[in-house]
Amino acid sequence: MPRNRYRVLLATPQGLDSSALVIAADRTGGLGILNCTGQDIRNRAIRRMREFKVRSYAIRVHPHEVCQGWLDQAGENLVAVVCSNPGTPEQLKNACTRIHAASRRALCEVTSAAQAEAALDAGGDGLIAVGHEAGGSVRIPLSFSSSSSSPTARQSPPRPSASSA
């Protein structure tokens, strides 16, 4: 994966066959990331990537799921593996070692600065910061400014009431 080649990364939702989104991302120059935490989903998705001649994609898995078998099966078009839920430092280091041995990039999801340091120490090539707001608005007030004349909370869109539905 050449440095800075992908300006858009598209992570697909968990539990669905969302390979069509990855195919679309590839056709527009982005990097689609298949959420493949499960062997059946992963094997089916890898077959679809080959069938649709996807030039490059990534797979998101737990570190303990990284193994040589499916890395080989995926072929050269699998350019990166995203390790979610870092597990133990040893599991993450083993996963990064296997990913590098297969000539792929190891990207690590992190939720804190401590996890970021641990991921880099384990051999991660890049970090993906994730947080509780990743799925959209969580309606938690956040301060934008310490100035007394500025609003101190994010304004959330009004929720529809039962009578307006």
Side-chain angles (χ1 to χ4, degrees), residues 34-71:
L34 287 163
N35 192 335
C36 292
T37 52
Q39 183 176 356
D40 291 341
I41 294 170
R42 185 176 51 248
N43 291 343
R44 190 170 40 245
I46 289 170
R47 282 193 302 273
R48 285 203 68 191
M49 295 305 103
R50 255 197 244 112
E51 178 184 339
F52 283 90
K53 297 179 179 23
V54 172
R55 294 169 298 194
S56 58
Y57 67 101
I59 288 181
R60 178 180 181 262
V61 296
H62 297 296
H64 69 272
E65 294 177 307
V66 176
C67 70
Q68 197 63 44
W70 66 260
L71 285 169

Side-chain angles (χ1 to χ4, degrees), residues 127-148:
L127 305 174
I128 299 173
V130 297
H132 64 281
E133 60 281 320
S137 175
V138 292
R139 302 189 194 293
I140 295 175
L142 299 174
S143 176
F144 284 101
S145 169
S146 59
S147 167
S148 60

Side-chain angles (χ1 to χ4, degrees), residues 1 9 16 20 26 39 58 60 87 100 102 113-114 119-120 160 162:
M1 184 166 74
L9 302 176
L16 301 173
D26 178 64
Q39 183 176 356
R60 178 180 181 262
H100 292 144
L120 294 173

Side-chain angles (χ1 to χ4, degrees), residues 45-131:
I46 289 170
R47 282 193 302 273
R48 285 203 68 191
M49 295 305 103
R50 255 197 244 112
E51 178 184 339
F52 283 90
K53 297 179 179 23
V54 172
R55 294 169 298 194
S56 58
Y57 67 101
I59 288 181
R60 178 180 181 262
V61 296
H62 297 296
H64 69 272
E65 294 177 307
V66 176
C67 70
Q68 197 63 44
W70 66 260
L71 285 169
D72 290 342
Q73 176 193 1
E76 66 185 28
N77 296 347
L78 174 68
V79 297
V81 177
V82 176
C83 291
S84 68
N85 183 13
T88 68
E90 184 178 332
Q91 287 175 325
L92 188 56
K93 183 175 178 141
N94 290 339
C96 289
T97 300
R98 287 186 194 112
I99 293 164
H100 292 144
S103 301
R104 281 19 178 253
R105 299 280 183 171
L107 306 176
C108 303
E109 290 184 353
V110 297
T111 60
S112 68
Q115 280 188 354
E117 288 297 326
L120 294 173
D121 289 345
D125 297 304
L127 305 174
I128 299 173
V130 297

